[in-house]
Amino acid sequence: MSKKELHQTGIVITRPSHQTGEIKALVNEHQGHPIEFPLLEIQSKSQNETFQNIVLTLNDYDWAIFISSNAVQFGMPAVKHAFHTLPESTKFAAIGPSTQKALKLFDVNHVLIPEENFDSEGLLATEEMNDIKNKKIVIFRGEGGRETLAETLRARGAEVTYAECYTRTFPQTNLDLLKLSLKKFIFQRFLLQALRHVKSLFV
């Protein structure tokens, strides 16, 4: 079977449901059969009272940091609802270019991102994040997660608050459903989580 042909091949996609559109389109384009089997789902917490109260005081913060595109997707609608014009006193930062791009969809055009190493450590290495003594910073993120960013910013003298706008759940409990789906197909099955893994099938 050609690497570019997926006829009679079941492709198991384990990404969260809201992130599978481009992958499914690629699989269908190459005559494959996408099987959605998300191992992780993202659920909004943006209606949570604590989160809403933080959003309403966004103009009190010097920096708003977004950890991921999910943080933008589930956090920024509430921000835009609360502020028709974003507070000029609040600067925005993101972990990397994907999150920066997501913020631009909400008219946030000036976003600090690392020059390299698109992670917490990369953002902490920027000049701006080394000059935050007595600054107020809000971090938009999912429930739980790494503490490196907040702990380091606090050690540098900042006051840090979390705005947790989504939570992660693990929906799959029955592998028998997946086995039944795969029985329909003749050829090799692929377990895929990232878009780059799908694209590698077609080169």
Side-chain angles (χ1 to χ4, degrees), residues 37 174-184 189:
F37 194 76
N174 188 354
L175 286 175
D176 290 337
L177 295 175
L178 178 60
K179 292 176 183 177
L180 286 173
S181 296
L182 287 173
K183 282 183 178 180
K184 302 175 184 177
R189 291 86 170 176

Side-chain angles (χ1 to χ4, degrees), residues 37-197:
F37 194 76
L39 298 180
L40 179 72
E41 288 290 8
I42 307 296
Q43 296 181 345
S44 175
K45 287 187 62 178
S46 61
Q47 299 304 313
N48 177 276
E49 183 178 357
T50 299
F51 174 78
Q52 289 288 334
N53 289 338
I54 293 170
V55 167
L56 290 173
T57 61
L58 183 64
N59 55 341
D60 292 337
Y61 290 91
D62 299 287
W63 284 95
I65 299 175
F66 286 78
I67 292 297
S68 65
S69 56
N70 281 326
V72 176
Q73 178 180 345
F74 292 103
M76 278 304 296
V79 172
K80 293 290 283 187
H81 180 75
F83 298 91
H84 296 298
T85 301
L86 293 175
E88 293 184 3
S89 58
T90 305
K91 298 177 182 178
F92 285 76
I95 290 298
S98 295
T99 308
Q100 179 189 40
K101 183 178 179 181
L103 281 167
K104 285 186 177 181
L105 296 177
F106 290 92
D107 302 318
V108 184
N109 296 314
H110 301 288
V111 181
L112 172 70
I113 63 170
E115 293 184 4
E116 55 185 17
N117 299 328
F118 301 127
D119 53 22
S120 295
E121 288 78 5
L123 187 61
L124 287 166
T126 62
E127 181 179 349
E128 291 84 350
M129 290 296 118
N130 280 274
D131 184 24
I132 42 77
K133 187 175 182 179
N134 298 323
K135 301 292 186 182
K136 292 187 67 176
I137 299 175
V138 57
I139 298 176
F140 286 78
R141 70 170 194 169
E143 189 175 56
R146 296 180 66 202
E147 300 293 332
T148 301
L149 181 59
E151 288 177 352
T152 304
L153 292 173
R154 287 174 181 140
R156 293 175 181 176
E159 178 184 335
V160 180
T161 300
Y162 283 130
E164 295 183 333
C165 51
Y166 65 92
T167 187
R168 305 168 187 85
T169 62
F170 303 93
Q172 303 301 342
T173 59
N174 188 354
L175 286 175
D176 290 337
L177 295 175
L178 178 60
K179 292 176 183 177
L180 286 173
S181 296
L182 287 173
K183 282 183 178 180
K184 302 175 184 177
F185 304 105
I186 298 172
F187 296 113
Q188 185 176 2
R189 291 86 170 176
F190 299 87
L191 181 64
L192 303 168
Q193 287 184 290
L195 179 59
R196 64 181 181 275
H197 296 157

